[in-house]
Amino acid sequence: MDHHRQRAHPIPYKLVTITSGFAGYNLGLFILCSIVARGGRFFAVAILLNRYGDAIRAEIERRLGMWVALAAVVLVAGFVVAARLI
């Protein structure tokens, strides 16, 4: 595997928390969304790795940029929906 190539990285969680605080986002709703999003992500990765092993790990690493972009779209959509509910 080539460790020197650029990889897409998700937005750091600390930056998300600070930005949401400055934006005045509802703390309880933020915590709920964080638990669902972060917990869901780790749970989904654990299920995929348990079921498909190294083959899915290679696929995730090969297409990391696409997966990060898709996760960002889902996360932003979740925040938009949550903001409209309050």
Side-chain angles (χ1 to χ4, degrees):
M1 179 180 351
D2 184 13
H3 293 288
H4 299 290
R5 110 184 126 152
Q6 285 284 71
R7 296 208 172 169
H9 295 283
I11 298 170
Y13 188 69
K14 185 182 280 190
L15 181 61
V16 172
T17 57
I18 292 170
T19 304
S20 65
F22 281 130
Y25 201 75
N26 180 296
L27 180 61
L29 190 56
F30 177 78
I31 291 171
L32 178 65
C33 289
S34 294
I35 290 170
V36 170
R38 291 176 65 85
R41 175 186 156 249
F42 288 114
F43 190 68
V45 169
I47 289 172
L48 289 171
L49 289 175
N50 185 39
R51 184 167 179 150
Y52 301 108
D54 286 333
I56 197 68
R57 180 188 310 267
E59 180 65 22
I60 290 171
E61 289 176 359
R62 187 176 314 116
R63 302 183 192 281
L64 184 62
M66 179 192 71
W67 291 113
V68 168
L70 180 63
V73 167
V74 170
L75 183 65
V76 169
F79 276 109
V80 169
V81 169
R84 291 180 186 226
L85 291 176
I86 55 172

